[in-house]
Amino acid sequence: MTRTDLGMPAFPDAAREAVRDGVLRANLRHATHTIRDKRARAVAELEDWDRLRAAGKAVKDHTLRHLDRYLLQLEAAVTAAGGTVHWAVDADEANRIVTELVRATGEREVVKVKSMATQEIGLNEALEAAGITAYETDLAELIVQLGHDRPSHILVPAIHRNRAEIRDIFRAEMGRWGRPAPDPLGDDPRELAEAARLHLREKFLRAKVAVCGANFMVAETGTMVVFESEGNGRMCLTLPETLISVVGIEKVVPTFRDLEIFLQTLPRSSTAERMNPYTTMWTGLGPSRGADGDGPSAFHLVLLDNGRTDTLADETGRQALRCIRCSACLNVCPVYERAGGHAYGSVYPGPIGAVLSPQLRGTDSEIDASLPYASTLCGACYDVCPVAIDIPEILVHLRERVAQGGPVTRHGIRVRIRPAHGHTAERAAMRAARLLLDRPGALRAGERLLARARRLAPRRLPGPGAAWTDTRDLPSVPAEPFRDWWTRERGTPQ
Amino acid sequence: MRVALFVTCVTDALYPQTGIAVVRLLERLGVHVDFPAGQSCCGQPQYNTGYRHETEPLVRRTAAAFAGHAYVVTPSGSCAAMIREHYPRIGRKAEREGRGTELTEAARSLAPRVYELTEFLVDVLGVTDVGAYFPHTVTYHPSCHGLRGLGLGDRPRRLLAAVKGLDLVELPGAQECCGFGGTFAVKNPDVSAAMGTDKLTSAAGTGAEVLCGTDNSCLAHLDGLLRRADSPLRTLHLAEILAATEEEPLT
Ligand code: SF4
């Protein structure tokens, strides 16, 4: 998560702009509804979906519980297969390691496979600062990069753009990065894809270094797994001489056989396909690779922590580490659909972003303190999640942290944090409300007072209530609360 | 059969007609209704906003108020879900904080006795035709906590479909949240209003006269938007429709 993200306004403010942007809302609505319906159909085809979901959850939980052991096993397996393993405690360290590895090759450019981990650490910006250009090769990621934009969806980073906008970006920017867009260029998807293909092909053939992430890492064999749709990833994984993979430590699974679960659940949850078009698995260098020129001759795995072990220390919050980044929760989230991905101020938008970012980054910044409240707790995200992450539960847990403070683990040390700014009045109001609610006698007197003053009831409320009355009318106060009706009709309640 | 009515704070203060409807409906079905005076709020607003400790006295109070009843019936899916799903969680967290098992025991004793109204009608009383009469076109919005939290499924729709004279029309995108979400409506007013407006647009598109729900808090949000927009559509709690009969129609 790059530094620039942290100056973001709080979620409600960022979302306000998106809500008012009619084109953006239409783009988002169309895209999320299309994919959510397709996903529902793809999932309904499997009779044992619930069991697959439970199995995925169990594998991930087991691995997280023994993460230290599986990571060491993975390191041994990757090393035995000819790879080199590096450990990065945070974004800066990971960026430094990758930059040095690229520098050591003498190259000034790298091709990239779309990867959340490298976006999380801001690798492209770090490489640029070191004079190295990183070229994104995923179509949507390319659109974002050429548009000097930020991704707004995990799987479809350019979900907020429509075809006409994409054509304009290609026409204006491709030439500055390499092969220009064909002239003329229409906004037909096939034409746009062809323009991107020609542009990217040059990059693949020239590149000596590739940077990627991985969807899974198998501890027993040291195998890295990349799921993708376009085939650009496979080009990056096979053509260059040096391959550098940056992967979050939570991506490990114990055995090769565990993949059987995720090979079914991940594609269906993310792209609504029965199987993703390209699944690439590679294990270190292997005896035949490198030697006969097939595949890279050097492989580096950078294992990234960046707040993950701290998250693991939290009993409720740790389930967020089960996430396989399918993005199904984004596509069903009614809040994401209106607010768009940028409002979340992180490469992880939507429901998973709302629980992951405040854990990985802490709740100090305004945006991170507002994210746990960016949900109605409607539960749609929990329902679709293929690894059964109870996102609403974590949201409430994090709200408590923001509103009340409490124990958290930071850099491996257990500390107590103070409540976030701006919650003093709310805390007082919640306490006052509870004191009233805990005394039915007083509550009843209050209700009566309200009923008597009902004709005086204002149409607009002051303070935080104004947000309600700006767009909605208040319910009219009844002449008599239920309690009084009961007493009048049935006598004193017991 | 004897049940305790948990009327909920929102219904008590702002929608007494829903509480009255529940009493009339249950009595018509031969159920004796008690109204324990010690009841108050289930603590949902505090809990969902991050003030778990403020919830604890309300957990104790609610459990004590209903200690003597085998059935506690409430016309709110979210309050029922709060008690069934979150009270045990609040208890476990208190235990982890070294504060004993008192809350867990209170939650464990209360949770299985709490029923949302439609669950009670369909599962416990075993009725779907409650003898209601309501000659209007109605569309139904399933509130999230009832739908996903409690798994009410098609119980409310089955009850509505059996109402004489009632024309039930499907609400497109029914399962989507209305945008209320407790304090969400205040903390994220723009997104909340956008969600509510979309919901109402779908509802108006069905041609229904009435948008029916099982949670007065969601309905307050939708109704507030409707009245601001001067829409002819009106919101009604399911209980009020089910309580209406030919002899005593809903006014
Ligand atoms: S939280 Fe679940 S649904 Fe959301 S991206 Fe992660 S795995 Fe997918």
Side-chain angles (χ1 to χ4, degrees):
Chain A
M1 309 204 181
T2 57
R3 268 153 293 244
T4 48
D5 287 334
L6 292 177
M8 288 284 298
F11 181 84
D13 299 323
R16 182 169 310 123
E17 280 177 42
V19 168
R20 290 185 185 152
D21 182 340
V23 177
L24 174 68
R25 260 178 80 183
N27 291 352
L28 282 168
R29 183 178 170 80
H30 175 74
T32 55
H33 281 254
T34 308
I35 184 113
R36 89 167 65 152
D37 296 346
K38 276 170 68 183
R39 177 210 159 266
R41 282 196 296 275
V43 163
E45 283 178 359
L46 292 183
E47 267 166 39
D48 58 347
W49 179 260
D50 290 339
R51 284 164 60 202
L52 279 168
R53 186 176 185 240
K57 171 181 189 281
V59 166
K60 282 280 184 176
D61 277 345
H62 167 86
T63 320
L64 289 168
R65 210 156 37 239
H66 307 284
L67 192 61
D68 48 348
R69 191 176 94 209
Y70 287 119
L71 285 171
L72 290 175
Q73 193 186 0
L74 176 79
E75 180 181 36
V78 169
T79 310
T84 311
V85 177
H86 311 259
W87 299 83
V89 73
D90 58 16
D92 286 344
E93 191 172 12
N95 286 332
R96 207 161 47 235
I97 292 168
V98 178
T99 309
E100 276 161 24
L101 288 170
V102 179
R103 275 217 181 107
T105 65
E107 293 296 317
R108 307 302 297 252
E109 50 181 49
V110 303
V111 285
K112 278 190 70 204
V113 190
K114 173 175 156 23
S115 129
M116 297 308 297
T118 59
Q119 280 177 22
E120 176 186 323
I121 61 176
L123 179 65
N124 289 10
E125 294 80 2
L127 288 174
E128 195 186 320
I132 298 160
T133 312
Y135 295 109
E136 294 292 347
T137 64
D138 171 84
L139 178 56
E141 210 58 76
L142 175 73
I143 295 165
V144 169
Q145 189 175 44
L146 292 177
H148 309 283
D149 199 357
R150 289 181 295 126
S152 73
H153 189 278
I154 291 179
L155 193 81
V156 205
I159 193 168
H160 55 298
R161 297 290 199 185
N162 61 33
R163 291 186 310 189
E165 290 174 299
I166 294 167
R167 182 205 44 209
D168 294 345
I169 292 171
F170 278 9
R171 274 217 294 240
E173 297 287 335
M174 266 184 176
R176 299 177 18 168
W177 290 77
R179 184 182 172 125
D183 192 26
L185 178 67
D187 66 2
D188 177 63
R190 242 172 318 159
E191 243 183 289
L192 294 173
E194 182 61 14
R197 209 176 67 85
L198 293 170
H199 178 81
L200 288 170
R201 181 134 309 216
E202 278 188 1
K203 304 256 163 64
F204 291 131
L205 292 174
R206 205 168 62 206
K208 299 275 190 290
V209 182
V211 176
C212 67
N215 294 92
F216 300 96
M217 314 183 283
V218 181
E220 71 174 350
T221 53
T223 303
M224 315 289 298
V225 189
V226 166
F227 288 40
E228 49 145 348
S229 300
E230 296 168 17
N232 63 302
R234 182 163 291 182
M235 303 278 264
C236 294
L237 297 170
T238 48
L239 285 171
E241 287 162 13
T242 302
L243 178 61
I244 304 167
S245 198
V246 182
V247 191
I249 53 174
E250 82 283 17
K251 297 265 147 162
V252 65
V253 295
T255 69
F256 203 84
R257 204 183 151 175
D258 295 322
L259 294 176
E260 114 184 58
I261 301 161
F262 303 109
L263 276 162
Q264 298 179 75
T265 55
L266 179 52
R268 282 177 203 261
S269 300
S270 59
T271 50
E273 289 164 308
R274 297 189 178 107
M275 201 179 163
N276 48 291
Y278 297 88
T279 304
T280 307
M281 305 188 179
W282 75 102
T283 309
L285 293 172
S288 69
R289 299 180 84 184
D292 62 2
D294 183 13
S297 49
F299 168 59
H300 296 274
L301 169 62
V302 182
L303 288 168
L304 177 70
D305 184 325
N306 208 30
R308 286 162 173 77
T309 45
D310 288 344
T311 304
L312 195 55
D314 186 275
E315 272 174 271
T316 306
R318 70 168 61 133
Q319 52 178 319
L321 295 177
R322 291 204 296 263
C323 177
I324 55 175
R325 312 277 190 261
C326 71
S327 72
C329 57
L330 279 62
N331 299 327
V332 296
C333 178
V335 175
Y336 174 86
E337 182 188 323
R338 273 98 188 167
H342 291 159
Y344 294 80
S346 154
V347 298
Y348 302 113
I352 184 62
V355 295
L356 202 54
S357 307
Q359 295 200 83
L360 295 182
R361 306 194 292 210
T363 46
D364 299 334
S365 72
E366 230 195 308
I367 177 79
D368 286 321
S370 72
L371 286 177
Y373 295 95
S375 166
T376 62
L377 308 177
C378 81
C381 50
Y382 178 30
D383 260 22
V384 294
C385 178
V387 283
I389 300 172
D390 191 341
I391 295 177
E393 183 191 12
I394 312 177
L395 286 166
V396 171
H397 175 71
L398 294 174
R399 288 176 186 189
E400 188 180 330
R401 183 177 295 174
V402 170
Q404 304 265 64
V408 291
T409 306
R410 283 275 152 252
H411 312 298
I413 299 159
R414 195 103 173 127
V415 291
R416 272 200 93 77
I417 56 161
R418 297 168 47 78
H421 291 300
H423 286 261
T424 322
E426 181 183 271
R427 197 159 47 247
M430 286 293 176
R431 188 169 167 75
R434 196 271 293 161
L435 286 171
L436 181 70
L437 292 166
D438 203 15
R439 285 174 183 70
L443 178 63
R444 188 170 177 184
E447 283 172 355
R448 283 201 185 134
L449 204 66
L450 195 67
R452 229 166 280 146
R454 57 205 276 260
R455 258 172 275 284
L456 308 175
R459 195 168 141 95
R460 286 183 192 273
L461 286 177
W468 181 276
T469 47
D470 275 351
T471 47
R472 285 160 287 217
D473 280 358
L474 288 169
S476 39
V477 179
E480 177 184 56
F482 178 81
R483 261 166 226 269
D484 286 359
W485 174 85
W486 181 276
T487 310
R488 192 161 53 74
E489 290 273 321
R490 309 291 156 105
T492 322
Q494 311 75 35
Chain B
M1 186 178 309
R2 203 181 179 95
V3 305
L5 168 64
F6 174 35
V7 81
T8 82
C9 57
V10 168
T11 296
D12 182 11
L14 297 172
Y15 298 95
Q17 67 273 22
T18 303
I20 297 166
V22 178
V23 175
R24 295 224 164 107
L25 169 66
L26 290 176
E27 287 179 351
R28 191 170 82 218
L29 297 170
V31 176
H32 179 94
V33 182
D34 288 331
F35 179 67
Q39 65 179 282
S40 164
C41 169
C42 66
Q44 196 182 176
Q46 293 81 354
Y47 180 72
N48 281 353
T49 315
Y51 299 88
R52 172 170 53 95
H53 291 284
E54 295 294 343
T55 314
E56 293 182 359
L58 298 173
V59 174
R60 270 185 222 109
R61 158 167 298 284
T62 309
F66 298 107
H69 284 90
Y71 297 102
V72 180
V73 178
T74 183
S76 160
S78 68
C79 300
M82 173 71 190
I83 296 173
R84 290 229 296 256
E85 203 181 322
H86 299 300
Y87 276 20
R89 252 177 208 165
I90 292 165
R92 281 197 297 276
K93 282 208 170 177
E95 271 184 61
R96 280 215 290 269
E97 288 167 0
R99 288 183 292 116
T101 57
E102 178 223 342
L103 278 172
T104 311
E105 277 154 24
R108 197 173 290 151
S109 125
L110 177 62
R113 292 183 282 122
V114 170
Y115 294 84
E116 186 275 339
L117 177 66
T118 68
E119 283 178 321
F120 181 77
L121 294 173
V122 175
D123 300 358
V124 181
L125 295 185
V127 289
T128 47
D129 185 348
V130 296
Y133 172 71
F134 190 70
H136 298 281
T137 314
V138 176
T139 192
Y140 169 68
H141 164 63
S143 281
C144 302
H145 290 117
L147 180 74
R148 285 176 280 262
L150 298 176
L152 293 184
D154 64 354
R155 291 179 185 85
R157 291 178 65 264
R158 274 160 57 202
L159 288 159
L160 282 171
V163 172
K164 223 171 113 196
L166 188 147
D167 184 13
L168 184 62
V169 288
E170 276 314 311
L171 178 65
Q175 310 214 334
E176 256 200 51
C177 178
C178 70
F180 171 62
T183 42
F184 178 82
V186 174
K187 285 180 183 278
N188 287 281
D190 300 279
V191 178
S192 169
M195 288 165 67
T197 306
D198 288 350
K199 173 68 62 184
L200 292 172
T201 307
S202 319
T206 64
E209 302 156 68
V210 171
L211 174 59
C212 163
T214 48
D215 243 294
N216 272 328
S217 38
C218 303
L219 293 177
H221 155 74
L222 292 171
D223 186 53
L225 286 164
L226 276 178
R227 286 195 293 153
R228 181 60 59 92
D230 266 338
S231 164
L233 191 69
R234 64 171 177 152
T235 57
L236 263 184
H237 193 286
L238 174 105
E240 292 167 51
I241 295 178
L242 298 184
T245 58
E246 265 170 294
E247 297 72 42
E248 281 186 85
L250 194 69
T251 44

